[in-house]
């Protein structure tokens, strides 16, 4: 049947994932089909270990393996209408496909959440490795390229929205490279630390202890089939902090994207005009102002962040589960996949935008020149102090006020001041050149950019 995405309710399912490829990828790891597929994988892992322990023959494994291949969410949902219990519905669908001899072993000794939480750990881990980290790697790759190209492009650094002292545009980007790169490491670590369970209804292995003499090792063996580990102890559910910490790495990554998007948006303000999003020849900026070129993609990323960041609160609420569990984390927990989808779509959008962005170097220089005579106040004060001027900060500050009044430069006024001039004469030629050519006041901006770019080019090879 043709998919009509416009009948879906969530904007994630139509507006923000229209390209078929994008939809396919996200759907494979995040959809309800993925839920049922991975839950069935957990049921199969259980059977495999029961077989290894001699509880059932290899034909039972074969039967269940064949059965889980063909189970569809439609079927499970139909069965749930009868059972009103989602995991029992899945179990019935498997049982209906296997012989009466195999049936007793399906779901043997497990409680529903053994299957559900373990399946969630598989899906989040795989989504991290197959969706999120590859998307971040692509984003990092384009950022690394631009940062390298612009490593010497002089830009005025801004604090409080005011001109401060110079940096390079590549240096500004390097900060984001470092922040995002470290998030990649944190995401990988948190994803690898997700846990499953096979410890029964209250976590104390009550049911599995009836037949299995080492149920704690049995749990480890089932999870090992799936590449997972158990938590040191569980209730009916896996300790919630594993998923909470994982999602935190995602939401804080989203925060970095939003911060970057904000910066780029501000640099596109008409008065600043230092960077721009690619604007296609037939693209429309405004429905009424034909001249507009709006930073719509960066605005979209910020907007998505506003939608998904607050959802972290739901995970904190889901931390609380009464006694050995209640079901109030069930419906809410199903929405974690939307945070993942929102993040991946935003990463991909930024990657596309940065691949086509333009950098207006002339305008960067023009903006820099607006305050080139005043921000030398900082190097001048530091140098004067370094040569022993007893009150260099105040002396230079007064010159900046006078410069405003008279229209003269701080440099000129300093030379006219006999006291200051005495110290100036001790400056080395290089120090004098720096005061006369403020574009030299870059500190280690270029070197740091080169270091960060090289560091992350290397580290990205691990992803
Ligand atoms: O192994 C068990 O099932 C033990 C049982 N706890 C449960 N564990 C897991 N799922 C359960 C549980 N109870 C209900 N359900 C079913 O969960 C589904 C909740 O649906 P929704 O609110 O849409 O997320 C919905 O299908 C519910 O029927 C207990 O009594 O402790």
């Amino acid at each position: 049947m043709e998919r009509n995405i416009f009948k879906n309710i969530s904007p994630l399912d139509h507006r923000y994932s229209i390209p078929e490829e994008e939809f396919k990828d996200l759907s494979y790891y995040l959809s309800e089909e993925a839920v049922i597929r991975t839950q069935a994988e957990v049921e199969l892992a259980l059977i495999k270990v029961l077989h290894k322990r001699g509880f059932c023959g290899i034909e039972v494994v074969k039967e269940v393996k064949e059965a889980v291949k063909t189970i569809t969410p439609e079927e499970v949902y139909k069965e749930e209408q009868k059972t009103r219990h989602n995991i029992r519905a899945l179990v019935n669908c498997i049982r209906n496909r296997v012989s009466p001899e195999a049936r007793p072993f399906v779901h043997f000794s497990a409680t529903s959440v053994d299957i559900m939480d373990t399946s969630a750990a598989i899906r989040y881990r795989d989504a991290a490795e197959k969706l999120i980290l590859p998307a971040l790697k692509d984003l990092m790759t384009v950022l690394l390229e631009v940062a390298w190209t612009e490593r010497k492009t002089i830009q005025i650094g801004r604090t409080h929205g005011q001109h401060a002292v110079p940096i390079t545009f590549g240096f500004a980007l390097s900060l984001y490279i470092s922040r995002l790169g470290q998030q990649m490491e944190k995401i990988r670590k948190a994803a690898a630390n997700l846990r499953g369970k096979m410890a029964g209804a209250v976590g104390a292995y009550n049911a599995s202890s009836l037949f299995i003499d080492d149920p704690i090792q049995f749990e480890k063996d089932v999870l090992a089939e799936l590449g997972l580990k158990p938590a040191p102890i569980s209730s009916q559910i896996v300790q919630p902090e594993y998923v909470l910490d994982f999602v935190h790495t995602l939401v804080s990554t989203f925060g970095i994207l939003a911060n970057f998007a904000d910066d780029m948006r501000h640099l596109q303000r008409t008065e600043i005009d230092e960077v721009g999003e690619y604007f296609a020849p037939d693209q429309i900026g405004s429905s009424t102002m034909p001249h507009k070129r709006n930073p719509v993609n960066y605005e979209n990323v910020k907007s998505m962040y506003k939608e998904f960041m607050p959802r972290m609160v739901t995970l904190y609420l889901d931390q609380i589960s009464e006694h050995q569990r209640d079901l109030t984390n069930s419906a809410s927990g199903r929405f974690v996949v939307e945070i993942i989808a929102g993040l991946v779509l935003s990463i991909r959008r930024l990657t596309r935008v940065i691949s086509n962005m333009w950098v207006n170097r002339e305008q960067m220089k023009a903006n820099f020149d607006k305050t080139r005579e005043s921000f030398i106040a900082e190097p001048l004060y530091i140098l004067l102090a370094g040569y022993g001027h007893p009150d260099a900060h105040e002396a230079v500050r007064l010159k900046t006020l006078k410069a405003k009044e008279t229209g003269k430069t701080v440099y000129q006024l300093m030379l006219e001041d006999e006291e200051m001039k005495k110290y100036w004469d001790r400056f080395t030629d290089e120090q004098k050149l720096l005061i006369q050519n403020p574009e030299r006041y870059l500190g280690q901006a270029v070197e740091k950019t080169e270091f960060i770019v090289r560091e992350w080019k290397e580290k990205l090879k691990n992803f």
Side-chain angles (χ1 to χ4, degrees), residues 225-404:
E225 291 282 332
L226 303 159
L228 290 170
K229 282 194 217 144
I233 178 172
S234 301
S235 61
Q236 186 172 100
I237 55 176
V238 171
Q239 297 174 28
E241 288 73 26
Y242 294 104
V243 170
L244 178 80
D245 290 349
F246 169 66
V247 179
H248 172 72
T249 63
L250 306 186
V251 173
S252 50
T253 301
F254 226 141
I256 298 169
L257 302 186
N259 195 167
F260 177 78
D262 265 353
D263 274 1
M264 293 301 123
R265 238 160 26 84
H266 292 310
L267 293 180
Q268 284 185 72
R269 283 175 183 275
T270 311
E271 292 83 354
I272 296 180
D273 194 27
E274 292 185 6
V275 299
E277 292 182 16
Y278 169 73
F279 209 82
D282 49 0
Q283 189 174 339
I284 307 285
S286 152
S287 64
T288 178
M289 296 173 282
H291 66 287
K292 290 299 288 296
R293 302 272 188 277
N294 298 328
V296 289
N297 286 299
Y298 292 123
E299 288 174 321
N300 173 282
V301 169
K302 177 74 180 289
S303 187
M304 293 284 253
Y305 171 68
K306 283 161 65 178
E307 171 54 34
F308 292 107
M309 179 272 281
R311 295 204 190 181
M312 194 66 215
V313 175
T314 308
L315 280 112
Y316 290 120
L317 293 170
D318 283 348
Q319 244 183 315
I320 295 161
S321 193
E322 288 161 15
H323 308 295
Q324 279 60 57
R325 90 128 343 157
D326 64 65
L327 206 60
T328 66
N329 69 348
S330 181
S332 47
R334 295 179 193 272
F335 290 86
V336 167
V337 289
E338 292 195 342
I339 304 177
I340 299 176
L343 176 65
V344 171
L345 293 170
S346 293
I347 297 170
R348 288 184 183 169
R349 182 183 288 261
L350 278 186
T351 308
R352 286 194 293 269
V353 177
I354 297 165
S355 310
N356 288 307
M357 77 188 282
W358 46 262
V359 179
N360 189 344
R361 292 182 185 165
E362 291 74 37
Q363 187 60 26
M364 262 183 205
K365 180 71 173 47
N367 287 339
F368 172 91
D369 283 341
K370 280 183 193 156
T371 46
R372 57 181 293 127
E373 302 301 345
S374 53
F375 66 68
I376 61 147
E378 183 188 78
L380 186 58
Y381 135 60
I382 301 285
L383 285 167
L384 288 169
Y387 283 105
H389 191 297
D391 204 9
H393 185 279
E394 184 58 11
V396 176
R397 191 183 71 84
L398 292 174
K399 295 295 178 230
T400 62
L401 296 181
K402 194 132 192 222
K404 271 233 159 87

Side-chain angles (χ1 to χ4, degrees), residues 49 177 202 206 332 419:
V49 178
I177 289 171
V202 292
N206 311 60
S332 47
E419 177 67 7

Side-chain angles (χ1 to χ4, degrees), residues 443-461:
Q444 301 297 306
V446 178
E447 291 78 0
K448 190 59 134 179
T449 307
E450 290 176 349
F451 177 82
I452 295 286
V453 169
R454 287 200 183 103
E455 179 190 20
W456 280 101
K457 259 195 181 154
E458 199 50 39
K459 285 188 174 170
L460 268 197
K461 290 179 186 160

